[in-house]
Amino acid sequence: DIQMTQSPSTLSASVGDRVTITCRASQSISSWLAWYQQKPGKAPKLLIYKASSLESGVPSRFSGSGSGTEFTLTISSLQPDDFATYYCQQYNSYSRTFGGGTKVEIK
Amino acid sequence: EVQLVESGGGLVKPGGSLRLSCAASGFTFSSYSMNWVRQAPGKGLEWVSSISSSSSYIYYADSVKGRFTISRDNAKNSLYLQMNSLRAEDTAVYYCARDQMATNYFDYWGQGTLVTVSS
């Protein structure tokens, strides 16, 4: 199975900060990567698919980049609603796998 | 509006069985592959199983292979997960999730149903 490693596991930031989360795959997954946001007690929400495509309705401050084995999720200006946990997910193979998650906390 | 509503969770003893259901509405259910994804308390997300639109292709995570069975009834717009030989490590919130058409990422999720395996 393809392993996904996210870093950092926790991130402390302030409103207005630029935030970057990294996701690394154990082998090349081309651009078959999605990002999700999850708030406590809620289901995950799709933010980005195919590494850099923004899901409809998602604010443009979210962006994704990368290909192969290295990917990033960037929030250009952190808003109060963005404090949550973020997961990457590869879908290069039928056995999809998630990263361990990055919790974005208020500094 | 796409809606996915899970049911069937609860408390079960180790070695026991449980059947989860997911009722879908707001889209043509028979056209989409569907999935189960779980999340243990305080932990990350784990894909469990997938089933194609016509049930022709079915996949499982190694952690549940041989114990769980995914199925669907397109006439009833419903997805199921039969869970047998349950273990403490199967304790989790189980989410039903839809695949975006012809891809393998999850564009809609249900609210989840909690399964607790404990004696």
Side-chain angles (χ1 to χ4, degrees), chain A residues 34 36 38 42-44 46 49 87 89 91 93-96 98, chain B residues 35 39 43-45 47 50 59 95 99 104-107 109-110:
Chain A
Y36 303 87
Q38 187 180 34
K42 300 294 187 182
L46 176 66
Y49 61 94
Y87 294 93
Q89 177 237 328
Y91 53 102
S93 68
Y94 74 84
S95 180
R96 313 103 182 276
F98 291 89
Chain B
N35 307 268
Q39 186 170 35
K43 302 297 185 183
L45 299 166
W47 167 79
S50 299
Y59 304 104
Y95 295 102
D99 269 350
N104 290 341
Y105 63 87
F106 313 111
D107 62 352
W109 300 64

Side-chain angles (χ1 to χ4, degrees), chain B:
Chain B
E1 180 194 3
V2 172
Q3 284 201 326
L4 299 169
V5 180
E6 302 93 336
S7 60
L11 175 63
V12 61
K13 289 182 168 54
S17 298
L18 211 55
R19 190 196 197 205
L20 306 183
S21 299
C22 172
S25 60
F27 65 103
T28 305
F29 181 72
S30 59
S31 296
Y32 289 82
S33 295
M34 298 295 295
N35 307 268
W36 290 99
V37 177
R38 69 184 180 183
Q39 186 170 35
K43 302 297 185 183
L45 299 166
E46 179 188 18
W47 167 79
V48 172
S49 183
S50 299
I51 185 168
S52 63
S53 57
S54 60
S55 305
S56 298
Y57 300 96
I58 288 176
Y59 304 104
Y60 298 99
D62 287 345
S63 58
V64 306
K65 202 172 293 182
R67 300 187 299 122
F68 290 10
T69 302
I70 192 171
S71 63
R72 64 190 295 161
D73 185 336
N74 286 343
K76 295 182 177 180
N77 291 341
S78 293
L79 175 72
Y80 306 102
L81 186 67
Q82 177 67 42
M83 303 186 295
N84 298 331
S85 303
L86 282 161
R87 306 166 180 167
E89 54 265 36
D90 295 318
T91 294
V93 173
Y94 284 73
Y95 295 102
C96 165
R98 190 184 85 167
D99 269 350
Q100 171 59 256
M101 184 74 77
T103 70
N104 290 341
Y105 63 87
F106 313 111
D107 62 352
Y108 285 94
W109 300 64
Q111 85 289 349
T113 188
L114 176 63
V115 172
T116 303
V117 184
S118 175
S119 54

Side-chain angles (χ1 to χ4, degrees), chain A residues 8-19 21 38 40 75 78-86 101-107:
Chain A
S9 55
T10 306
L11 187 160
S12 295
S14 302
V15 172
D17 284 354
R18 181 182 181 87
V19 166
I21 298 168
Q38 187 180 34
I75 309 172
L78 199 65
Q79 299 301 302
D81 191 49
D82 301 337
F83 291 97
T85 300
Y86 294 84
T102 296
K103 185 175 182 180
V104 177
E105 297 181 328
I106 300 173
K107 193 172 186 178

